Amino acid sequence: MLDTVAPSILRRARVATSILFAVHGVVMASFAARLPWVADHVGVGAGGLGVALLMPGFGAIVAMPLSARLTHRYDLRSLTRVLIVLWCAALLMPGWPTSLPVLCAVLLVYGASAGLADVAMNAHAVVVEDRYGRSIMSGFHGWWSIGGLVGAGLAAIAARTDMDARIHFTTVSVGLTGVALLASRWLIPHRQEETADAPPAFALPTKEALPIGLVGLCAVFAEGAGVDWSAVFVRDVLDHPASTAAATVAVFSVSMAAARFAGDAVVRRFGPVATVRVAALLATAGALAVVLSTRIAVVVAGFALVGIGIAVVVPLAFAAAGRVGDNPGRSLAAVAGIAYGAGLIAPGVIGGIAHLSSLTVSFIVVVIVTALMGLGARTLRPASAK
């Protein structure tokens, strides 16, 4: 059972956890938005860059099972502080390689750092949510989305002024490290109960965590399709200009962020199962609008519905995983690994189907996975309701 914490300490912990989620999002978006500079610096085209971008996902998937052991062995406050600082430091690396093999090696380490920090901060978020006694996980992930928007905005300014990405990455890394160190002082100390068995060094998903992870997989797959392919869809299928294509990505991202901030109140009112079922209906309707319509307003609205529909699913999957089994860290690592796997394969699946048929046909996969997301909603029931 979790210790009672004074309300003021708990509020500070919630703020600190929100800040760390935002920091994680800023780092991720800062790198992603400067990919054209990185590709030019290394001297690779789209094919080589595509190979390199597989590496962060592989690094995260390999490292995440180890995070279960770390969250069992170490105090969560200390572990989260160290791993979020390492994640900020990882942003220093991608700007330096001048060859594809070195870039791939760097991005493996970058992805591993992302995955370890992701599991640690979500594990701490579960502790804070449990002590609040109500759903607040979606809001944490909303701050991650805000961090992503801030990181992308800062990167756009840096690119517009022709700032060297190494200077940009260093400035952001140093600044975020300071923010993370200050915020992490407010985290709640928490160590796994000594009676719980230590998980294996590389923990595989348990039978309880696997179905939760598959629901998260569906949401992350749809998110990856929306982020990576919505602009291409608007430009190539609907033949609209690049500005409209970029605006579609922004609409998708902002819709998802807004839904995450509203999500906790909805979950508290209707429960996670009903919320995910309705969310899946919205996402599926949005994906169908993308597939069936040729009107730009309808397609953009469809992408917005997909963003709204998937927004709360991953936070709820992490919250559910954190309450499964004797070692929450193992379940969180398993769910995160499955979700990262979805993020890894989504662009390739969409692109492969588009190559064999068309991009419109490939988005039928998004219709299918969002529908499956709703069918799996029962796995997210609170333990007391099972």
Side-chain angles (χ1 to χ4, degrees), residues 131-345:
R131 287 174 172 171
Y132 258 87
R134 55 189 173 91
S135 176
I136 58 172
M137 183 66 81
S138 184
F140 291 138
H141 285 256
W143 281 108
W144 189 95
S145 297
I146 292 297
L149 293 172
V150 170
L154 293 175
I157 294 171
R160 188 174 181 83
T161 58
D162 293 324
M163 180 184 289
D164 188 302
R166 289 167 294 189
I167 297 174
H168 169 213
F169 291 164
T170 300
T171 303
V172 172
S173 175
V174 171
L176 291 179
T177 297
V179 171
L181 286 173
L182 287 173
S184 62
R185 297 173 61 187
W186 290 349
L187 300 180
I188 298 174
H190 177 74
R191 188 182 292 272
Q192 184 70 33
E193 294 180 9
E194 295 182 1
T195 55
D197 294 332
F202 288 91
L204 296 176
T206 62
K207 64 180 182 179
E208 295 87 1
L210 181 59
I212 298 173
L214 292 176
V215 173
L217 179 150
C218 292
V220 174
F221 187 100
E223 180 181 353
V227 170
D228 294 326
W229 288 101
S230 57
V232 178
F233 189 97
V234 168
R235 185 191 64 190
D236 294 354
V237 177
L238 302 183
D239 197 27
H240 278 261
S243 58
T244 305
T248 303
V249 179
V251 168
F252 176 85
S253 300
V254 170
S255 297
M256 189 164 65
R260 282 181 166 169
F261 283 114
D264 287 320
V266 175
V267 172
R268 290 195 291 269
R269 176 67 178 83
F270 299 104
V273 176
T275 299
V276 171
R277 284 174 175 164
V278 173
L281 286 174
L282 292 175
T284 304
L288 280 171
V290 171
V291 170
L292 298 177
S293 180
T294 58
R295 296 178 59 185
I296 183 62
V298 175
V299 170
V300 172
F303 278 116
L305 278 178
V306 173
I308 292 169
I310 64 176
V312 300
V313 179
V314 170
L316 287 175
F318 276 117
R323 300 180 180 91
V324 168
D326 295 329
N327 192 292
R330 176 174 182 174
S331 298
L332 278 166
V335 169
I338 295 170
Y340 266 74
L344 178 64
I345 66 173

Side-chain angles (χ1 to χ4, degrees), residues 100-150:
L100 181 58
V102 176
L103 179 62
C104 287
V106 162
L107 292 185
L108 275 172
V109 177
Y110 173 87
S113 301
L116 291 172
D118 193 295
V119 172
M121 70 184 190
N122 272 285
H124 184 270
V126 168
V127 172
V128 176
E129 183 181 68
D130 281 350
R131 287 174 172 171
Y132 258 87
R134 55 189 173 91
S135 176
I136 58 172
M137 183 66 81
S138 184
F140 291 138
H141 285 256
W143 281 108
W144 189 95
S145 297
I146 292 297
L149 293 172
V150 170

Side-chain angles (χ1 to χ4, degrees), residues 14 23 41-43 75 80 82 94 112 153 173 179 217 243 295 307 357 372:
R14 182 178 182 178
V23 165
H41 184 68
V42 176
D75 169 59
T80 303
V82 169
S173 175
V179 171
L217 179 150
S243 58
R295 296 178 59 185
S357 179
L372 291 174

